[in-house]
Amino acid sequence: MKAIRIEEFGGPEVMKIVEVERPVPAADEILVKVYAASVNPADYIVRQGGNEGLKPLLKLPLGLGLDAAGIIEEVGSKVIEFKKGDRVYGVPNYLDGSYTQYLAAKSNQFGLMPGTLNFNEAGSLPACARMAYNGMVQKAKVQPGQRVLIHGAAGGIGNLALQFAKAYGAYVIGTASAHNAEFLKELGADEVIDYNTQNFEEILRDIDVVFNATHTTTVDEALRLRSVKVLKEGGIFVCTHGGWPSEEFKELLARKNATVSMAGVDINHQQIFNEVAKLVDAGKVKAVISKVYPWEQAADAHRDIETKHARGKIVLEIRQEK
């Protein structure tokens, strides 16, 4: 089979399609014939050599890709929730990569695809959906009528967080560029604040949930401190990336009896993917794709996402759906 591998760290050009041995699923794994994989910021971070937390884990040669959609080719002897031929979406074993024709992964890291989506659409969801659903629904426990502020609302995680919040009855405010204002309103945003010309902390008050989905690889401490100002008493700030909060940030939260929670920690992947599929098939959530690239153009897809201006997700089409 073929897969994209890197044998050195560097720019997009280090990614090569090479012949590798097809994996054999263990007893608790499934073998997935991959049709689509999405491109995430973590992919180019790994390709470049990783950040401080990832560097010790990266061993060359290395595969890339966090999530995928496809058809089950084989099931391990202990797998009872799936069968051969099932259309599934989810995440591979950590750092195994999903830019590949076949992948083996723990069965509990996948769920049945939404029946209303094609492979490219389903492949765009898992990595971001697990963060958005876990942070907004499971950690923030968003409720009808609550006021929710989402930073980076037009990105892969942010647009799904917005849709989940609306599906659960919240009043949602998103920060984004003016270019994305109408797009966010089409997804259900009640208000959109242009971060280039408006200071959200001068406009908003009594926010129940602040969800930080900004497209960055570093902690924006200034954004965190500004966000505390708009939280109501007992509110919650949800992080999707970066290090643990500073003492100053925690002290400001304490004055409001507010809390901070990290999305993506200790999550049940299969449960989330099953719940997301229900929301998608009910018409309450949709996959937002910026562009689909054939996987032979993975380098161009990486250059695209590194601009940090993609609306929704960028997808690699591994093979065409017949």
Side-chain angles (χ1 to χ4, degrees):
M1 73 168 204
K2 294 180 179 180
I4 290 180
R5 293 285 187 269
I6 60 171
E7 296 186 353
E8 60 180 320
F9 298 117
E13 69 281 354
V14 302
M15 294 184 291
K16 308 292 184 185
I17 296 179
V18 298
E19 288 285 343
V20 297
E21 188 173 347
R22 195 170 95 166
V24 176
D28 60 349
E29 292 183 331
I30 55 176
L31 179 70
V32 179
K33 183 178 182 180
V34 180
Y35 278 76
S38 80
V39 180
N40 294 280
D43 299 345
Y44 67 75
I45 294 171
V46 170
R47 190 203 73 225
Q48 293 168 347
N51 54 26
E52 187 175 332
L54 281 173
K55 283 183 187 295
L57 305 175
L58 303 183
K59 310 295 181 184
L60 295 171
L62 186 65
L64 297 174
L66 294 180
D67 51 6
I71 297 175
I72 293 182
E73 191 81 359
E74 297 178 34
V75 297
S77 59
K78 294 183 180 179
V79 175
I80 59 174
E81 69 269 42
F82 297 121
K83 64 182 184 302
K84 181 177 179 179
D86 281 343
R87 295 159 65 96
V88 294
Y89 74 140
V91 296
N93 301 335
Y94 192 53
L95 293 178
D96 275 6
S98 60
Y99 300 179
T100 178
Q101 291 181 321
Y102 293 88
L103 65 81
K106 301 292 184 183
S107 63
N108 62 9
Q109 293 169 205
F110 277 72
L112 292 174
M113 271 174 48
T116 53
L117 299 187
N118 61 37
F119 287 115
N120 287 339
E121 291 167 333
S124 75
L125 290 173
C128 288
R130 63 178 177 176
M131 296 290 287
Y133 189 92
N134 176 251
M136 186 63 72
V137 180
Q138 297 179 326
K139 298 291 175 63
K141 296 180 171 57
V142 64
Q143 300 292 319
Q146 284 189 324
R147 288 166 56 81
V148 174
L149 171 63
I150 300 173
H151 294 306
I157 296 175
N159 90 80
L160 287 169
L162 187 162
Q163 294 185 72
F164 293 146
K166 289 302 297 182
Y168 280 79
Y171 182 95
V172 182
I173 305 157
T175 65
S177 65
H179 168 70
N180 286 316
E182 286 305 314
F183 162 65
L184 293 181
K185 289 178 180 177
E186 290 172 3
L187 290 181
D190 296 286
E191 296 181 43
V192 179
I193 294 175
D194 180 359
Y195 59 70
N196 288 312
T197 62
Q198 298 173 289
N199 294 321
F200 66 87
E201 70 273 24
E202 297 175 1
I203 302 170
L204 304 176
R205 289 291 182 274
D206 297 324
I207 298 295
D208 294 279
V209 179
V210 174
F211 189 101
N212 185 16
T214 50
H215 201 312
T216 180
T217 58
T218 58
V219 177
D220 188 340
E221 187 64 15
L223 181 66
R224 284 179 170 177
L225 297 176
R226 292 165 61 204
S227 295
V228 178
K229 296 179 181 179
V230 307
L231 274 174
K232 69 183 299 184
E233 182 80 11
I236 183 170
F237 183 99
V238 179
C239 300
T240 60
H241 55 73
W244 200 241
S246 67
E247 288 303 316
E248 182 182 4
F249 178 70
K250 289 189 286 187
E251 288 173 7
L252 290 175
L253 285 174
R255 292 176 194 172
K256 288 194 171 184
N257 194 31
T259 56
V260 61
S261 183
M262 184 69 72
V265 179
D266 300 323
I267 62 176
N268 182 323
H269 288 92
Q270 193 167 89
Q271 179 190 25
I272 288 176
F273 296 145
N274 289 340
E275 291 302 317
V276 170
K278 292 176 186 177
L279 290 170
V280 171
D281 286 338
K284 295 182 177 180
V285 172
K286 66 179 182 179
V288 178
I289 295 177
S290 172
K291 189 171 182 179
V292 176
Y293 288 86
W295 76 322
E296 295 86 354
Q297 296 176 20
D300 291 331
H302 272 228
R303 293 185 186 101
D304 193 347
I305 195 171
E306 286 186 73
T307 67
K308 301 182 181 179
H309 292 303
R311 177 185 288 179
K313 294 304 296 292
I314 293 170
V315 174
L316 290 183
E317 186 175 72
I318 309 299
R319 48 168 58 88
Q320 292 187 341
E321 188 169 358
K322 298 179 180 179

